[in-house]
Amino acid sequence: MSRKYKIQDQDKLYFVTFTIVEWIDLFTRKAYRDILIDSLKYCQNNKGLDLCAFCIMSSHIHLIMGRNGEQTIEAIIRDFKKFTAIEILKSIQGSPEESRKEFLLHHFRQAGARNPNNSTFQIWQQHNHPIELNSNDKISRCLNYIHQNPVVAGIVFSAEDYVYSSASNYAGLPEKLIEVLLIE
């Protein structure tokens, strides 16, 4: 693996993306998006996550993140992905309304079978490609990219109108799902 995609400095901010295996559109359901939001809040309150920006799209989530505690950024990412995978899987399996249940379980089971680090199911792709945000230009570009994702995808006209994003935080709007540390 290239040094470009490793966390070198625990005191820096990083742009990371977590993607569902096969880019499956999992987060079309509010219940699964809410699992991510609840877990991000938990990590902020209990794991030392400094969350500066986020955007949940249908098959992936973008974050600008750092840490403020003892846990490494890698540990926070590992715990977040493990917990959300377990909770999402339980939600899929227990949902009588999930019309894609068999499709999702089949693909997650296949992905798990191909991965020697997994025993059964795999929901998240393994890589995160962390990019160290070591300049104001990189921070600005990544922040813009994250918030413009739903606009470019044609979901909303204005970034701050997308509920599952920190764009409303940066626009100073009172409606927001989660508090973030604004990057100045």
Side-chain angles (χ1 to χ4, degrees):
M1 176 184 271
S2 161
R3 289 177 58 88
K4 179 179 178 184
Y5 294 121
K6 291 186 180 177
I7 293 174
Q8 301 294 323
D9 186 342
Q10 294 292 324
D11 296 322
K12 298 282 188 184
L13 292 177
Y14 286 85
F15 169 77
V16 294
T17 301
F18 310 144
T19 306
I20 299 298
V21 295
E22 300 178 32
W23 288 83
I24 293 172
D25 289 324
L26 181 65
F27 302 118
T28 56
R29 304 265 192 259
K30 182 181 184 306
Y32 309 143
R33 293 188 305 261
D34 289 348
I35 289 169
L36 298 183
I37 294 296
D38 291 344
S39 187
L40 288 171
K41 289 177 182 177
Y42 180 86
C43 289
Q44 285 176 308
N45 294 328
N46 299 288
K47 301 245 178 219
L49 169 65
D50 276 343
L51 181 63
C52 298
F54 74 96
C55 183
I56 301 172
M57 297 299 287
S58 63
S59 62
H60 59 285
I61 179 173
H62 296 296
L63 307 173
I64 292 179
M65 65 178 293
R67 67 163 188 153
N68 63 36
E70 295 295 316
Q71 284 208 38
T72 64
I73 294 171
E74 296 92 341
I76 294 169
I77 290 171
R78 178 200 62 224
D79 293 351
F80 173 82
K81 287 175 75 175
K82 181 177 181 179
F83 178 80
T84 55
I86 291 168
E87 291 302 306
I88 290 167
L89 187 60
K90 282 196 288 192
S91 185
I92 292 168
Q93 291 170 326
S95 173
E97 294 88 27
E98 179 53 80
S99 60
R100 306 169 300 159
K101 184 184 296 192
E102 294 309 315
F103 168 84
L104 293 170
L105 294 176
H106 171 76
H107 284 273
F108 296 154
R109 190 178 293 112
Q110 278 189 324
R114 289 190 299 266
N115 182 349
N117 297 327
N118 260 334
S119 56
T120 51
F121 295 95
Q122 180 176 342
I123 292 179
W124 295 109
Q125 292 181 17
Q126 284 189 247
H127 58 276
N128 309 308
H129 288 193
I131 298 172
E132 184 179 305
L133 302 180
N134 53 13
S135 72
N136 288 338
D137 181 58
K138 274 188 183 177
I139 291 170
S140 179
R141 283 188 289 123
C142 287
L143 195 56
N144 186 58
Y145 176 81
I146 287 172
H147 291 155
Q148 288 301 310
N149 229 222
V151 175
V152 172
I155 299 169
V156 292
F157 288 115
S158 299
E160 60 272 10
D161 291 334
Y162 189 63
V163 174
Y164 288 90
S165 161
S166 56
S168 61
N169 301 67
Y170 281 85
L173 300 177
E175 303 86 16
K176 48 190 147 244
L177 287 179
I178 188 169
E179 292 296 329
V180 298
L181 296 172
L182 299 179
I183 302 169
E184 311 238 351

